[in-house]
Short mmCIF file of all heavy atoms in Angstrom, two decimals:
data_model
loop_
_atom_site.label_atom_id
_atom_site.label_comp_id
_atom_site.label_asym_id
_atom_site.label_seq_id
_atom_site.Cartn_x
_atom_site.Cartn_y
_atom_site.Cartn_z
N ASP A 6 0.82 -1.17 0.04
CA ASP A 6 0.00 0.00 -0.02
C ASP A 6 0.85 1.29 0.03
O ASP A 6 0.42 2.32 -0.55
CB ASP A 6 -0.95 0.00 1.29
CG ASP A 6 -2.11 -0.86 1.01
OD1 ASP A 6 -2.44 -1.21 -0.12
OD2 ASP A 6 -2.81 -1.34 2.12
N GLU A 7 2.01 1.22 0.59
CA GLU A 7 2.87 2.53 0.75
C GLU A 7 3.29 3.04 -0.51
O GLU A 7 3.56 4.15 -0.69
CB GLU A 7 3.85 2.32 1.81
CG GLU A 7 5.22 1.58 1.32
CD GLU A 7 6.25 1.50 2.36
OE1 GLU A 7 6.07 0.44 3.11
OE2 GLU A 7 7.09 2.37 2.43
N ILE A 8 3.47 2.08 -1.57
CA ILE A 8 4.08 2.49 -2.80
C ILE A 8 3.09 2.31 -4.00
O ILE A 8 3.28 2.64 -5.16
CB ILE A 8 5.31 1.76 -3.28
CG1 ILE A 8 5.14 0.21 -3.24
CG2 ILE A 8 6.43 2.08 -2.22
CD1 ILE A 8 6.35 -0.50 -3.93
N ALA A 9 1.82 1.79 -3.62
CA ALA A 9 0.79 1.62 -4.72
C ALA A 9 0.54 2.78 -5.48
O ALA A 9 0.58 2.64 -6.74
CB ALA A 9 -0.48 1.12 -4.04
N ASP A 10 0.28 4.00 -5.04
CA ASP A 10 0.09 5.20 -5.86
C ASP A 10 1.08 5.43 -6.80
O ASP A 10 1.06 5.84 -7.99
CB ASP A 10 -0.31 6.37 -4.99
CG ASP A 10 -1.48 6.14 -4.23
OD1 ASP A 10 -2.48 5.44 -4.67
OD2 ASP A 10 -1.91 6.92 -3.25
N ASP A 11 2.40 5.39 -6.36
CA ASP A 11 3.62 5.68 -7.02
C ASP A 11 3.79 4.58 -8.15
O ASP A 11 4.09 4.91 -9.35
CB ASP A 11 4.79 5.60 -6.21
CG ASP A 11 4.94 6.86 -5.33
OD1 ASP A 11 4.31 7.89 -5.58
OD2 ASP A 11 5.62 6.85 -4.25
N VAL A 12 3.44 3.37 -7.91
CA VAL A 12 3.58 2.29 -8.84
C VAL A 12 2.58 2.49 -10.03
O VAL A 12 2.90 2.49 -11.20
CB VAL A 12 3.40 0.89 -8.33
CG1 VAL A 12 3.20 -0.23 -9.36
CG2 VAL A 12 4.54 0.53 -7.41
N ASN A 13 1.45 2.90 -9.61
CA ASN A 13 0.37 3.21 -10.57
C ASN A 13 0.72 4.37 -11.49
O ASN A 13 0.55 4.32 -12.65
CB ASN A 13 -1.05 3.35 -9.87
CG ASN A 13 -1.58 2.16 -9.44
OD1 ASN A 13 -1.25 1.04 -9.86
ND2 ASN A 13 -2.41 2.25 -8.24
N MET A 14 1.17 5.48 -10.86
CA MET A 14 1.57 6.59 -11.60
C MET A 14 2.65 6.25 -12.67
O MET A 14 2.68 6.62 -13.79
CB MET A 14 2.16 7.68 -10.67
CG MET A 14 2.95 8.87 -11.45
SD MET A 14 2.02 9.81 -12.59
CE MET A 14 0.95 10.74 -11.49
N VAL A 15 3.66 5.65 -12.18
CA VAL A 15 4.81 5.19 -13.08
C VAL A 15 4.32 4.20 -14.13
O VAL A 15 4.66 4.33 -15.40
CB VAL A 15 6.05 4.67 -12.30
CG1 VAL A 15 6.93 4.04 -13.24
CG2 VAL A 15 6.68 5.69 -11.36
N ASN A 16 3.47 3.40 -13.87
CA ASN A 16 2.85 2.34 -14.76
C ASN A 16 2.04 3.08 -15.85
O ASN A 16 2.34 2.81 -17.08
CB ASN A 16 1.98 1.39 -14.15
CG ASN A 16 1.40 0.34 -14.99
OD1 ASN A 16 2.02 -0.37 -15.75
ND2 ASN A 16 0.04 0.31 -15.20
N ASP A 17 1.14 4.03 -15.42
CA ASP A 17 0.38 4.84 -16.35
C ASP A 17 1.19 5.60 -17.35
O ASP A 17 1.03 5.75 -18.59
CB ASP A 17 -0.58 5.64 -15.66
CG ASP A 17 -1.72 4.75 -14.92
OD1 ASP A 17 -1.83 3.65 -15.10
OD2 ASP A 17 -2.44 5.48 -14.00
N ALA A 18 2.27 6.41 -16.76
CA ALA A 18 3.16 7.25 -17.53
C ALA A 18 3.93 6.30 -18.57
O ALA A 18 4.04 6.79 -19.75
CB ALA A 18 3.90 8.04 -16.61
N THR A 19 4.41 5.24 -18.04
CA THR A 19 5.02 4.33 -18.97
C THR A 19 4.22 3.78 -20.08
O THR A 19 4.67 3.76 -21.34
CB THR A 19 5.69 3.16 -18.08
OG1 THR A 19 6.61 3.51 -17.15
CG2 THR A 19 6.43 2.12 -19.17
N ALA A 20 2.98 3.51 -19.77
CA ALA A 20 2.05 3.06 -20.92
C ALA A 20 1.84 4.14 -21.89
O ALA A 20 1.76 3.78 -23.12
CB ALA A 20 0.77 2.60 -20.26
N GLU A 21 1.74 5.48 -21.42
CA GLU A 21 1.56 6.54 -22.36
C GLU A 21 2.83 6.63 -23.19
O GLU A 21 2.72 7.08 -24.31
CB GLU A 21 1.22 7.75 -21.51
CG GLU A 21 -0.06 7.89 -20.95
CD GLU A 21 -0.40 9.21 -20.20
OE1 GLU A 21 -0.35 10.20 -20.89
OE2 GLU A 21 -0.57 9.21 -18.98
N MET A 22 3.86 6.47 -22.61
CA MET A 22 5.16 6.68 -23.39
C MET A 22 5.25 5.66 -24.46
O MET A 22 5.64 5.89 -25.66
CB MET A 22 6.37 6.71 -22.52
CG MET A 22 7.73 6.95 -23.19
SD MET A 22 7.84 8.69 -23.88
CE MET A 22 8.16 9.60 -22.25
N ILE A 23 4.92 4.30 -24.05
CA ILE A 23 4.85 3.21 -24.99
C ILE A 23 3.92 3.54 -26.14
O ILE A 23 4.26 3.39 -27.35
CB ILE A 23 4.64 1.93 -24.38
CG1 ILE A 23 5.90 1.51 -23.50
CG2 ILE A 23 4.37 0.82 -25.36
CD1 ILE A 23 5.51 0.47 -22.47
N ALA A 24 2.69 4.05 -25.79
CA ALA A 24 1.69 4.32 -26.85
C ALA A 24 2.15 5.41 -27.78
O ALA A 24 1.98 5.33 -28.93
CB ALA A 24 0.42 4.61 -26.16
N LEU A 25 2.83 6.35 -27.24
CA LEU A 25 3.47 7.51 -28.07
C LEU A 25 4.41 6.89 -28.97
O LEU A 25 4.40 7.27 -30.19
CB LEU A 25 4.03 8.56 -27.10
CG LEU A 25 4.81 9.70 -27.85
CD1 LEU A 25 3.79 10.49 -28.80
CD2 LEU A 25 5.59 10.58 -26.89
N PHE A 26 5.39 6.09 -28.59
CA PHE A 26 6.42 5.56 -29.45
C PHE A 26 5.77 4.69 -30.46
O PHE A 26 6.11 4.56 -31.62
CB PHE A 26 7.51 4.98 -28.66
CG PHE A 26 8.59 5.85 -28.24
CD1 PHE A 26 8.56 6.38 -26.84
CD2 PHE A 26 9.49 6.26 -29.05
CE1 PHE A 26 9.49 7.34 -26.54
CE2 PHE A 26 10.51 7.30 -28.73
CZ PHE A 26 10.42 7.82 -27.43
N ASP A 27 4.72 3.89 -29.94
CA ASP A 27 4.01 3.00 -30.89
C ASP A 27 3.44 3.81 -32.10
O ASP A 27 3.27 3.36 -33.23
CB ASP A 27 3.07 2.13 -30.25
CG ASP A 27 2.33 1.09 -31.11
OD1 ASP A 27 3.08 0.34 -31.81
OD2 ASP A 27 1.17 1.14 -31.07
N SER A 28 2.90 4.97 -31.83
CA SER A 28 2.21 5.89 -32.63
C SER A 28 3.05 6.31 -33.87
O SER A 28 2.66 6.69 -34.86
CB SER A 28 1.48 7.04 -32.03
OG SER A 28 2.34 7.99 -31.58
N VAL A 29 4.44 6.38 -33.63
CA VAL A 29 5.31 6.79 -34.63
C VAL A 29 6.17 5.54 -35.00
O VAL A 29 7.35 5.69 -35.57
CB VAL A 29 6.24 7.96 -34.05
CG1 VAL A 29 5.30 9.19 -34.02
CG2 VAL A 29 6.90 7.63 -32.88
N ASP A 30 5.71 4.46 -34.82
CA ASP A 30 6.36 3.15 -35.28
C ASP A 30 7.88 3.00 -34.61
O ASP A 30 8.66 2.61 -35.26
CB ASP A 30 6.47 3.01 -36.75
CG ASP A 30 5.06 2.89 -37.36
OD1 ASP A 30 4.23 2.30 -36.79
OD2 ASP A 30 4.86 3.59 -38.47
N TYR A 31 7.97 3.59 -33.42
CA TYR A 31 9.19 3.58 -32.79
C TYR A 31 10.33 4.19 -33.49
O TYR A 31 11.56 3.81 -33.29
CB TYR A 31 9.55 2.12 -32.28
CG TYR A 31 8.59 1.58 -31.33
CD1 TYR A 31 7.37 1.04 -31.83
CD2 TYR A 31 8.78 1.75 -29.88
CE1 TYR A 31 6.54 0.37 -30.89
CE2 TYR A 31 7.78 1.28 -29.03
CZ TYR A 31 6.64 0.64 -29.52
OH TYR A 31 5.65 0.14 -28.63
N ASP A 32 9.97 5.17 -34.36
CA ASP A 32 10.84 5.91 -35.09
C ASP A 32 11.03 7.38 -34.55
O ASP A 32 10.24 8.12 -34.75
CB ASP A 32 10.38 5.98 -36.57
CG ASP A 32 11.39 6.56 -37.53
OD1 ASP A 32 12.20 7.31 -37.10
OD2 ASP A 32 11.22 6.33 -38.80
N VAL A 33 12.20 7.45 -33.99
CA VAL A 33 12.56 8.77 -33.19
C VAL A 33 12.50 9.93 -34.36
O VAL A 33 12.16 11.05 -33.95
CB VAL A 33 13.97 8.79 -32.58
CG1 VAL A 33 14.15 10.07 -31.83
CG2 VAL A 33 13.84 7.67 -31.52
N THR A 34 12.96 9.61 -35.61
CA THR A 34 12.83 10.79 -36.56
C THR A 34 11.43 11.15 -36.79
O THR A 34 11.14 12.37 -37.09
CB THR A 34 13.57 10.39 -37.81
OG1 THR A 34 13.03 9.14 -38.40
CG2 THR A 34 15.12 10.08 -37.62
N LYS A 35 10.52 10.30 -36.90
CA LYS A 35 9.12 10.59 -36.98
C LYS A 35 8.64 11.43 -35.76
O LYS A 35 7.79 12.39 -36.03
CB LYS A 35 8.18 9.33 -37.21
CG LYS A 35 8.36 8.67 -38.52
CD LYS A 35 7.36 7.43 -38.51
CE LYS A 35 7.45 6.62 -39.75
NZ LYS A 35 6.56 5.53 -39.69
N LEU A 36 8.99 10.86 -34.58
CA LEU A 36 8.61 11.63 -33.31
C LEU A 36 9.09 13.23 -33.53
O LEU A 36 8.31 14.00 -33.20
CB LEU A 36 9.21 10.96 -32.16
CG LEU A 36 8.87 11.73 -30.84
CD1 LEU A 36 7.74 11.00 -30.16
CD2 LEU A 36 10.06 11.71 -29.96
N ALA A 37 10.31 13.30 -33.90
CA ALA A 37 10.95 14.65 -34.06
C ALA A 37 10.25 15.51 -34.91
O ALA A 37 10.42 16.78 -34.88
CB ALA A 37 12.47 14.46 -34.30
N THR A 38 9.61 14.98 -35.93
CA THR A 38 9.06 15.82 -37.01
C THR A 38 7.55 15.92 -36.91
O THR A 38 6.74 16.45 -37.73
CB THR A 38 9.25 15.22 -38.37
OG1 THR A 38 8.65 13.95 -38.48
CG2 THR A 38 10.75 15.35 -38.61
N ASP A 39 7.00 15.39 -35.85
CA ASP A 39 5.55 15.46 -35.44
C ASP A 39 5.24 16.30 -34.25
O ASP A 39 5.49 15.95 -33.19
CB ASP A 39 5.07 13.99 -35.17
CG ASP A 39 3.45 13.98 -34.98
OD1 ASP A 39 2.84 14.78 -34.38
OD2 ASP A 39 2.97 12.84 -35.28
N ALA A 40 4.75 17.49 -34.59
CA ALA A 40 4.54 18.43 -33.52
C ALA A 40 3.77 18.03 -32.36
O ALA A 40 3.98 18.33 -31.15
CB ALA A 40 3.77 19.75 -34.09
N GLU A 41 2.61 17.26 -32.54
CA GLU A 41 1.82 16.73 -31.66
C GLU A 41 2.56 15.64 -30.80
O GLU A 41 2.38 15.70 -29.54
CB GLU A 41 0.59 16.12 -32.20
CG GLU A 41 -0.48 15.63 -31.11
CD GLU A 41 -1.76 15.09 -31.83
OE1 GLU A 41 -2.28 15.72 -32.75
OE2 GLU A 41 -2.24 14.00 -31.41
N ALA A 42 3.41 14.79 -31.37
CA ALA A 42 4.22 13.80 -30.70
C ALA A 42 5.12 14.45 -29.90
O ALA A 42 5.39 14.03 -28.60
CB ALA A 42 4.74 12.88 -31.64
N ILE A 43 5.76 15.50 -30.30
CA ILE A 43 6.89 16.17 -29.59
C ILE A 43 6.21 16.83 -28.32
O ILE A 43 6.78 16.79 -27.17
CB ILE A 43 7.39 17.24 -30.39
CG1 ILE A 43 8.40 16.60 -31.52
CG2 ILE A 43 8.40 18.23 -29.54
CD1 ILE A 43 8.83 17.68 -32.56
N ALA A 44 5.01 17.46 -28.50
CA ALA A 44 4.29 18.05 -27.39
C ALA A 44 4.08 17.03 -26.28
O ALA A 44 4.28 17.19 -25.06
CB ALA A 44 3.14 18.84 -27.80
N LYS A 45 3.54 15.90 -26.75
CA LYS A 45 3.26 14.86 -25.87
C LYS A 45 4.47 14.32 -25.13
O LYS A 45 4.38 13.99 -23.87
CB LYS A 45 2.45 13.62 -26.46
CG LYS A 45 1.96 12.56 -25.62
CD LYS A 45 0.89 13.01 -24.64
CE LYS A 45 0.31 11.97 -23.80
NZ LYS A 45 -0.58 12.39 -22.84
N PHE A 46 5.60 14.07 -25.86
CA PHE A 46 6.81 13.69 -25.27
C PHE A 46 7.27 14.59 -24.31
O PHE A 46 7.55 14.27 -23.14
CB PHE A 46 7.91 13.43 -26.32
CG PHE A 46 9.13 12.86 -25.96
CD1 PHE A 46 9.38 11.64 -25.63
CD2 PHE A 46 10.09 13.86 -25.58
CE1 PHE A 46 10.57 11.27 -25.05
CE2 PHE A 46 11.52 13.35 -25.13
CZ PHE A 46 11.60 11.98 -25.01
N GLN A 47 7.26 15.85 -24.41
CA GLN A 47 7.61 16.94 -23.61
C GLN A 47 6.69 16.93 -22.36
O GLN A 47 7.21 17.09 -21.20
CB GLN A 47 7.74 18.37 -24.22
CG GLN A 47 8.89 18.35 -25.26
CD GLN A 47 8.66 19.79 -26.08
OE1 GLN A 47 7.71 20.36 -26.30
NE2 GLN A 47 9.92 20.13 -26.56
N GLU A 48 5.44 16.73 -22.47
CA GLU A 48 4.57 16.69 -21.41
C GLU A 48 4.86 15.52 -20.54
O GLU A 48 4.82 15.63 -19.22
CB GLU A 48 3.15 16.60 -21.93
CG GLU A 48 2.06 16.32 -20.84
CD GLU A 48 0.58 15.97 -21.49
OE1 GLU A 48 0.35 16.51 -22.65
OE2 GLU A 48 -0.08 15.18 -20.85
N LEU A 49 5.09 14.33 -21.02
CA LEU A 49 5.37 13.19 -20.36
C LEU A 49 6.67 13.31 -19.53
O LEU A 49 6.74 12.81 -18.44
CB LEU A 49 5.31 11.94 -21.21
CG LEU A 49 3.96 11.49 -21.80
CD1 LEU A 49 4.11 10.42 -22.82
CD2 LEU A 49 3.04 11.06 -20.62
N THR A 50 7.75 13.63 -20.24
CA THR A 50 9.00 13.83 -19.59
C THR A 50 9.03 14.93 -18.58
O THR A 50 10.03 14.84 -17.72
CB THR A 50 10.12 13.83 -20.57
OG1 THR A 50 10.01 15.10 -21.40
CG2 THR A 50 10.25 12.68 -21.47
N ALA A 51 8.25 15.98 -18.67
CA ALA A 51 8.34 17.02 -17.72
C ALA A 51 7.36 16.98 -16.60
O ALA A 51 7.30 17.76 -15.57
CB ALA A 51 8.11 18.39 -18.53
N ASN A 52 6.76 15.81 -16.60
CA ASN A 52 5.54 15.59 -15.48
C ASN A 52 6.25 15.37 -14.13
O ASN A 52 6.85 14.39 -13.88
CB ASN A 52 4.80 14.31 -15.91
CG ASN A 52 3.62 14.04 -14.95
OD1 ASN A 52 3.70 14.31 -13.75
ND2 ASN A 52 2.63 13.42 -15.48
N THR A 53 6.14 16.36 -13.36
CA THR A 53 6.80 16.24 -12.05
C THR A 53 6.23 15.28 -11.15
O THR A 53 6.95 14.67 -10.37
CB THR A 53 6.65 17.67 -11.30
OG1 THR A 53 5.51 18.08 -11.11
CG2 THR A 53 7.57 18.71 -11.99
N GLU A 54 4.94 14.97 -11.25
CA GLU A 54 4.30 13.90 -10.49
C GLU A 54 4.96 12.54 -10.78
O GLU A 54 5.18 11.65 -9.94
CB GLU A 54 2.69 13.84 -10.81
CG GLU A 54 1.97 14.97 -10.11
CD GLU A 54 0.46 14.75 -10.49
OE1 GLU A 54 -0.01 13.61 -10.58
OE2 GLU A 54 -0.20 15.88 -10.54
N PHE A 55 5.09 12.32 -12.13
CA PHE A 55 5.78 11.10 -12.59
C PHE A 55 7.23 10.98 -11.95
O PHE A 55 7.71 9.98 -11.38
CB PHE A 55 5.88 10.93 -14.03
CG PHE A 55 6.76 9.97 -14.51
CD1 PHE A 55 6.52 8.64 -14.45
CD2 PHE A 55 8.09 10.29 -15.04
CE1 PHE A 55 7.42 7.64 -14.90
CE2 PHE A 55 8.91 9.28 -15.58
CZ PHE A 55 8.58 7.95 -15.37
N ASN A 56 7.96 12.16 -12.24
CA ASN A 56 9.40 12.07 -11.85
C ASN A 56 9.40 11.99 -10.15
O ASN A 56 10.47 11.35 -9.62
CB ASN A 56 10.05 13.40 -12.25
CG ASN A 56 10.27 13.45 -13.74
OD1 ASN A 56 10.60 12.45 -14.32
ND2 ASN A 56 10.09 14.61 -14.28
N ASP A 57 8.65 12.56 -9.50
CA ASP A 57 8.60 12.44 -7.97
C ASP A 57 8.25 10.93 -7.71
O ASP A 57 8.85 10.45 -6.84
CB ASP A 57 7.57 13.34 -7.36
CG ASP A 57 7.99 14.87 -7.55
OD1 ASP A 57 9.29 15.15 -7.80
OD2 ASP A 57 7.23 15.70 -7.25
N ALA A 58 7.34 10.33 -8.34
CA ALA A 58 6.86 9.05 -8.07
C ALA A 58 8.01 8.10 -8.36
O ALA A 58 8.35 7.08 -7.51
CB ALA A 58 5.60 8.63 -8.74
N ALA A 59 8.72 8.33 -9.41
CA ALA A 59 9.81 7.39 -9.81
C ALA A 59 10.90 7.56 -8.84
O ALA A 59 11.57 6.57 -8.52
CB ALA A 59 10.32 7.84 -11.22
N SER A 60 11.21 8.69 -8.41
CA SER A 60 12.42 9.03 -7.34
C SER A 60 11.89 8.26 -6.05
O SER A 60 12.71 7.61 -5.39
CB SER A 60 12.55 10.54 -7.04
OG SER A 60 12.94 11.11 -8.19
N ARG A 61 10.64 8.34 -5.64
CA ARG A 61 10.25 7.66 -4.35
C ARG A 61 10.43 6.06 -4.53
O ARG A 61 10.86 5.43 -3.61
CB ARG A 61 8.76 7.96 -3.97
CG ARG A 61 8.70 9.45 -3.38
CD ARG A 61 7.40 9.79 -2.89
NE ARG A 61 6.33 9.71 -3.86
CZ ARG A 61 5.92 10.66 -4.60
NH1 ARG A 61 6.46 11.88 -4.44
NH2 ARG A 61 4.87 10.60 -5.43
N LEU A 62 10.06 5.65 -5.70
CA LEU A 62 10.09 4.07 -5.94
C LEU A 62 11.57 3.80 -6.04
O LEU A 62 12.01 2.67 -5.45
CB LEU A 62 9.56 3.78 -7.37
CG LEU A 62 8.01 3.67 -7.23
CD1 LEU A 62 7.43 3.34 -8.65
CD2 LEU A 62 7.42 2.77 -6.23
N ASP A 63 12.37 4.58 -6.53
CA ASP A 63 13.78 4.38 -6.49
C ASP A 63 14.33 4.21 -5.08
O ASP A 63 15.08 3.25 -4.75
CB ASP A 63 14.61 5.35 -7.38
CG ASP A 63 16.11 5.05 -7.44
OD1 ASP A 63 16.34 3.92 -7.81
OD2 ASP A 63 16.91 5.90 -7.18
N ALA A 64 14.02 5.25 -4.30
CA ALA A 64 14.43 5.34 -2.90
C ALA A 64 13.94 4.13 -2.11
O ALA A 64 14.56 3.38 -1.29
CB ALA A 64 14.00 6.63 -2.24
N TRP A 65 12.63 3.60 -2.37
CA TRP A 65 12.03 2.53 -1.63
C TRP A 65 12.86 1.17 -2.05
O TRP A 65 13.05 0.35 -1.17
CB TRP A 65 10.59 2.45 -2.06
CG TRP A 65 9.81 1.39 -1.36
CD1 TRP A 65 9.19 1.42 -0.20
CD2 TRP A 65 9.66 -0.01 -1.80
NE1 TRP A 65 8.56 0.20 0.17
CE2 TRP A 65 8.87 -0.75 -0.89
CE3 TRP A 65 10.05 -0.71 -2.85
CZ2 TRP A 65 8.64 -1.94 -0.89
CZ3 TRP A 65 9.71 -2.04 -3.09
CH2 TRP A 65 8.93 -2.78 -2.06
N GLY A 66 13.18 1.16 -3.33
CA GLY A 66 13.90 -0.04 -3.86
C GLY A 66 15.18 -0.18 -3.11
O GLY A 66 15.77 -1.23 -2.72
N VAL A 67 15.92 1.01 -2.91
CA VAL A 67 17.24 0.99 -2.19
C VAL A 67 17.02 0.63 -0.72
O VAL A 67 17.73 -0.33 -0.25
CB VAL A 67 17.84 2.34 -2.35
CG1 VAL A 67 19.05 2.45 -1.49
CG2 VAL A 67 18.30 2.70 -3.81
N GLU A 68 16.04 1.25 -0.07
CA GLU A 68 15.83 0.99 1.34
C GLU A 68 15.22 -0.54 1.69
O GLU A 68 15.76 -1.11 2.55
CB GLU A 68 14.74 1.97 1.91
CG GLU A 68 15.27 3.33 2.28
CD GLU A 68 14.25 4.17 2.78
OE1 GLU A 68 13.32 3.64 3.48
OE2 GLU A 68 14.29 5.50 2.44
N GLU A 69 14.28 -0.85 0.91
CA GLU A 69 13.58 -2.10 1.23
C GLU A 69 14.12 -3.40 0.59
O GLU A 69 14.05 -4.41 1.01
CB GLU A 69 12.14 -2.01 0.85
CG GLU A 69 11.25 -0.86 1.52
CD GLU A 69 11.24 -1.04 3.05
OE1 GLU A 69 11.17 -2.35 3.52
OE2 GLU A 69 11.27 -0.04 3.81
N CYS A 70 14.75 -3.27 -0.46
CA CYS A 70 15.26 -4.28 -1.22
C CYS A 70 16.86 -4.35 -1.55
O CYS A 70 17.42 -5.24 -2.02
CB CYS A 70 14.62 -4.36 -2.72
SG CYS A 70 12.89 -4.39 -2.58
N GLY A 71 17.44 -3.23 -1.19
CA GLY A 71 18.89 -3.21 -1.22
C GLY A 71 19.40 -2.95 -2.63
O GLY A 71 20.56 -3.14 -2.97
N PHE A 72 18.46 -2.37 -3.50
CA PHE A 72 18.82 -2.16 -4.82
C PHE A 72 19.91 -0.99 -4.92
O PHE A 72 19.90 -0.11 -4.02
CB PHE A 72 17.72 -1.70 -5.71
CG PHE A 72 16.60 -2.80 -5.97
CD1 PHE A 72 15.32 -2.40 -6.32
CD2 PHE A 72 16.87 -4.18 -5.82
CE1 PHE A 72 14.35 -3.45 -6.45
CE2 PHE A 72 15.90 -5.05 -6.20
CZ PHE A 72 14.67 -4.73 -6.44
N GLU A 73 20.75 -1.05 -5.92
CA GLU A 73 21.52 0.21 -6.03
C GLU A 73 20.89 1.27 -6.89
O GLU A 73 20.18 0.92 -7.85
CB GLU A 73 22.82 -0.22 -6.74
CG GLU A 73 23.71 -1.11 -5.83
CD GLU A 73 25.07 -1.48 -6.37
OE1 GLU A 73 25.58 -0.72 -7.26
OE2 GLU A 73 25.66 -2.43 -5.99
N SER A 74 20.99 2.46 -6.51
CA SER A 74 20.36 3.57 -7.26
C SER A 74 21.19 4.11 -8.49
O SER A 74 22.29 3.85 -8.54
CB SER A 74 20.01 4.79 -6.37
OG SER A 74 19.42 5.77 -7.05
#
């Protein structure tokens, strides 16, 4: 329960990123020339909620599982 919200946030954002890359056939050059795709990519990578959740999950993994960060 303590990390469920963070796991869901990271999962949802990852699914959106996968869908974005799928929409351009995983071709970064297509992504770079599609204004809508660029905007979505920037939105996803600048999402502070996602970045904060990912940082908390990283810290949790280090603390609880002994993962290296």
Side-chain angles (χ1 to χ4, degrees):
D6 283 340
E7 81 182 87
I8 63 168
D10 289 342
D11 290 336
V12 168
N13 288 331
M14 165 59 75
V15 170
N16 181 64
D17 292 347
T19 301
E21 287 184 60
M22 188 65 79
I23 290 168
L25 174 63
F26 277 97
D27 187 51
S28 74
V29 293
D30 298 321
Y31 297 88
D32 184 338
V33 179
T34 58
K35 284 184 184 178
L36 179 98
T38 59
D39 182 327
E41 187 175 316
I43 291 170
K45 184 64 175 176
F46 180 80
Q47 290 172 334
E48 173 191 330
L49 290 170
T50 57
N52 183 330
T53 56
E54 289 179 28
F55 166 76
N56 291 321
D57 291 347
S60 292
R61 286 189 297 271
L62 285 176
D63 186 48
W65 186 87
V67 170
E68 279 183 33
E69 299 296 324
C70 304
F72 295 157
E73 293 186 26
S74 180

